[in-house]
């Protein structure tokens, strides 16, 4: 960050590959921890601090929501965050002491702002927020994944378009059909019983 200087308007773009942080996952998909994330960030000096505008490309690994096959893909996210100069932090620190205890461990202050720690700034929280929002709830191995056969469970992509089953009733449905027939019989029996009682 030293290269950037503090003159408002000066800017610097950096490109680097960084290891993905832990715990970037949803139920079916994740950014594997430690995987290479391609990062390009433009740092721009503004009057209160540094504005970081980044683009990241992260690899994804998980399971197709339709056919459950293992799949890999990638996600591209953009993020922007303002990091305040440390002087601003000290001013705020005094201000907050009057009202409430300021938590030094917090990366953001009470207004949700990040602060520069010396000449370093931590891009991970901004990157993490952007990726979590971009992860697909229902990842697909391909956009038109046909999923699994509802009757036998084979992946329809492997089985081919000719995959069919006989129109014969599935045994599970046949069992239900039997149950419902029995139900009708019992119903009729009860009705017969009722008539018997009346007659008795
Ligand atoms: Zn699939
Ligand atoms: Zn089938």
């Amino acid at each position: 960050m030293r290269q950037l200087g503090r003159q408002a308007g000066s800017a610097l773009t950096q490109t680097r590959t960084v290891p993905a942080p832990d715990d970037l996952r949803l139920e079916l998909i994740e950014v594997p921890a430690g995987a290479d994330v391609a990062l390009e960030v433009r740092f721009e000096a503004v009057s209160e601090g540094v504005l970081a505008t980044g683009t990241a490309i992260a690899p994804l690994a998980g399971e197709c929501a339709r056919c459950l096959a293992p799949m890999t893909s990638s996600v591209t996210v953009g993020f922007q965050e303002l990091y305040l100069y440390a002087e601003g932090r000290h001013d705020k620190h005094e201000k907050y002491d009057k009202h409430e205890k300021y938590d030094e461990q917090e990366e953001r202050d009470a207004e949700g702002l990040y602060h520069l720690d010396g000449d370093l700034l931590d891009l991970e929280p901004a990157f993490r927020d952007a990726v979590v929002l971009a992860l697909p709830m229902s990842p697909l191995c391909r956009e038109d994944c046909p999923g699994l056969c509802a009757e036998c469970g084979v992946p329809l992509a492997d089985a081919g378009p000719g995959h069919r089953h006989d129109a014969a009733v599935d045994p599970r449905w046949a069992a239900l059909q039997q149950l419902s027939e029995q139900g009708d019989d019992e119903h009729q029996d009860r009705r017969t019983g009722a008539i018997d009682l009346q007659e008795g």
Side-chain angles (χ1 to χ4, degrees):
M1 292 310 297
R2 286 191 188 90
Q3 297 153 282
L4 181 59
R6 292 202 174 176
Q7 182 142 24
S10 66
L12 169 74
T13 299
Q14 285 195 347
T15 308
R16 62 175 65 171
T17 302
V18 296
D22 293 341
D23 287 330
L24 276 177
R25 65 169 61 91
L26 292 181
E27 197 177 338
L28 293 173
I29 199 119
E30 65 170 359
V31 178
D36 285 351
V37 174
L39 202 58
E40 186 182 288
V41 187
R42 178 183 152 91
F43 300 101
E44 195 180 342
V46 294
S47 55
E48 328 87 290
V50 174
L51 183 66
T53 308
T55 307
I57 303 171
L60 298 179
E63 238 175 51
C64 174
R66 283 191 200 148
C67 72
L68 311 180
M71 53 162 290
T72 56
S73 144
S74 70
V75 68
T76 303
V77 295
F79 56 91
Q80 188 171 63
E81 202 67 59
L82 175 65
Y83 297 82
L84 300 177
Y85 287 130
E87 291 89 45
R89 179 174 199 154
H90 292 141
D91 291 344
K92 281 180 187 297
H93 198 148
E94 287 162 22
K95 199 173 85 189
Y96 281 110
D97 273 345
K98 291 175 193 163
H99 302 290
E100 55 191 289
K101 193 159 166 25
Y102 185 85
D103 185 358
E104 287 283 355
Q105 301 303 311
E106 281 289 316
E107 277 165 329
R108 295 173 186 236
D109 67 13
E111 291 160 38
L113 296 172
Y114 292 97
H115 294 272
L116 282 169
D117 180 12
D119 279 343
L120 299 171
L121 51 78
D122 184 8
L123 293 170
E124 190 188 312
F127 165 73
R128 178 181 287 278
D129 288 353
V131 169
V132 165
L133 284 176
L135 288 176
M137 294 290 289
S138 300
L140 297 178
C141 60
R142 55 178 225 230
E143 224 171 282
D144 60 346
C145 171
L148 302 174
C149 172
E151 284 191 42
C152 70
V154 303
L156 290 174
D158 299 343
H163 181 79
R164 289 225 161 57
H165 293 266
D166 291 339
V169 182
D170 182 289
R172 284 162 298 183
W173 287 109
L176 283 176
Q177 215 168 36
Q178 226 169 19
L179 274 178
S180 95
E181 277 163 15
Q182 274 172 10
D184 284 351
D185 290 349
E186 280 169 22
H187 191 64
Q188 272 172 1
D189 288 345
R190 269 200 302 274
R191 210 163 48 199
T192 317
I195 293 166
D196 286 344
L197 272 176
Q198 271 180 349
E199 283 175 354

